[in-house]
Amino acid sequence: MSTSARDDRLVSEFLEMMAAERGASRHTLDAYRRDLEDYQASLHAAKTDMTKAGPNDVRRYLDELAHAGLAARTQARRLSAVRQFHKFIYGDGIRGDDPTAHIDSPRLGTALPKFLSTDEIDRLIETANRQEGIKGTRLLAMVELLYATGMRVSELVELPFSAVARDPQMLVVRGKGNKERLVPLSVPAKQALAEYITIREAFIPLDKGGQPEKSPYLFPSRGKTGHLTRQMFLNMIKDLASKAGIAPSRVSPHVLRHSFASHLLANGADLRSLQQMLGHSDISTTQIYTHVIESRLRGLVQEHHPLAHKKNGS
């Protein structure tokens, strides 16, 4: 059997294992196959194969990916496929070592959260306020709530009516791990919410007698979930962004969550309080927002500080 045919067989066996033992989807299996075929081609060009490749062959492959201009995240994904494959053939005794054991993953840059400026948030809210009818009232309440609390979109659409039924000063949000947290409500959010509650019944499914059924959700719908879905709200907010003159690609429920956090931090909130309001279990997750503020401050200094425009030695 040729080395190429043997490598093909090993890749097929690896993919069968991923499907049978790990339940990998067809999409995942196709991605693994493409990545391993690319790795295999690199090895064959270097006159070696998957059973003989050493650490230097793996490093050379990563260098090829970098020189080809592939993003660090893509390089890391390719290496992950190669690493899992070599662990598989090592575990099956096909070779006596794993050449990826001491290979470092490409460094991934920290992706800063995307957020809107306060002016853009104002435009979104003002535009939502101009929308007519009960759907406009609901949309304004949802946008105000999301920006005032920093909730995840799943937390928003699944929010129980009982959480706001008594005109609360604080909102009880049930987040990941079924953990509850308290988040204060702003005056505009409370006002928008109060107006929405007066027409909420219009969104509740009707019983056989034509009367609204009981719904546990603050934002009920007649769909099978019983509440407004994340996808529906995403579509609503994209449409709102377009009407507000903001590129829809820049706006999502998560962008509003990031905007809430970034604006609070920029206006003096401390990290611990922000961590609690966002429902982060680890403060290191919250600390990414400090990078946003630091980046903005550096930009302001470079743009406005008089010494930043002087040449060295002048």
Side-chain angles (χ1 to χ4, degrees), residues 113-116 121 124 143 145-156 173 175-176 181 183 233 237 251-265 274-282 285-286 289:
K114 298 177 181 178
F115 62 96
L116 301 178
I121 291 290
L124 269 184
V143 173
L145 264 182
L146 203 58
Y147 180 60
T149 64
M151 280 189 286
R152 301 175 179 91
V153 64
S154 57
E155 296 168 346
L156 176 70
V173 179
K176 291 184 177 180
R181 66 184 189 274
V183 182
F233 181 57
I237 207 166
V251 181
S252 72
H254 216 64
V255 167
L256 289 189
R257 176 172 161 87
H258 289 324
S259 301
F260 159 83
S262 300
H263 297 167
L264 270 184
L265 201 58
L274 188 59
Q275 176 192 4
Q276 182 178 358
M277 286 186 281
L278 291 172
H280 288 161
S281 57
D282 193 328
T285 308
T286 317
Y289 294 105

Side-chain angles (χ1 to χ4, degrees), residues 117-130 240-241 243-247 250:
S117 68
T118 52
D119 287 343
E120 288 171 324
I121 291 290
D122 286 343
R123 279 161 54 193
L124 269 184
I125 292 175
E126 287 169 5
T127 304
N129 200 25
R130 290 198 299 269
L240 178 64
K243 290 176 179 176
I246 303 170
R250 295 185 55 233

Side-chain angles (χ1 to χ4, degrees), residues 25-135:
S25 68
R26 173 53 53 190
H27 175 76
T28 299
L29 295 175
D30 287 344
Y32 274 123
R33 184 184 298 279
R34 288 192 298 270
D35 290 346
L36 291 174
E37 285 175 351
D38 189 61
Y39 172 58
Q40 183 181 353
S42 173
L43 295 179
H44 290 179
K47 309 299 182 184
T48 187
D49 59 65
M50 290 172 153
T51 62
K52 298 186 181 71
N56 287 338
D57 294 305
V58 178
R59 292 190 184 97
R60 186 191 63 253
Y61 174 59
L62 292 175
D63 287 342
E64 291 172 0
L65 298 181
H67 290 153
L70 271 66
R73 194 168 297 279
T74 303
Q75 296 174 44
R77 192 203 71 220
R78 296 270 182 96
L79 176 59
S80 175
V82 170
R83 200 189 298 280
Q84 291 189 67
F85 171 79
H86 277 296
K87 284 182 179 178
F88 166 71
I89 62 175
Y90 171 66
D92 271 17
I94 296 168
R95 61 177 292 170
D97 65 332
D98 176 0
T100 67
H102 302 293
I103 302 294
D104 294 330
S105 293
R107 292 188 172 221
L108 301 179
T110 301
L112 294 181
K114 298 177 181 178
F115 62 96
L116 301 178
S117 68
T118 52
D119 287 343
E120 288 171 324
I121 291 290
D122 286 343
R123 279 161 54 193
L124 269 184
I125 292 175
E126 287 169 5
T127 304
N129 200 25
R130 290 198 299 269
Q131 304 309 297
E132 298 180 351
I134 59 173
K135 289 186 177 180

Side-chain angles (χ1 to χ4, degrees), residues 168-186:
Q169 302 298 314
M170 304 285 286
L171 190 66
V172 179
V173 179
R174 190 180 299 276
K176 291 184 177 180
N178 215 27
K179 294 180 180 178
E180 291 185 343
R181 66 184 189 274
L182 283 173
V183 182
L185 282 180
S186 65

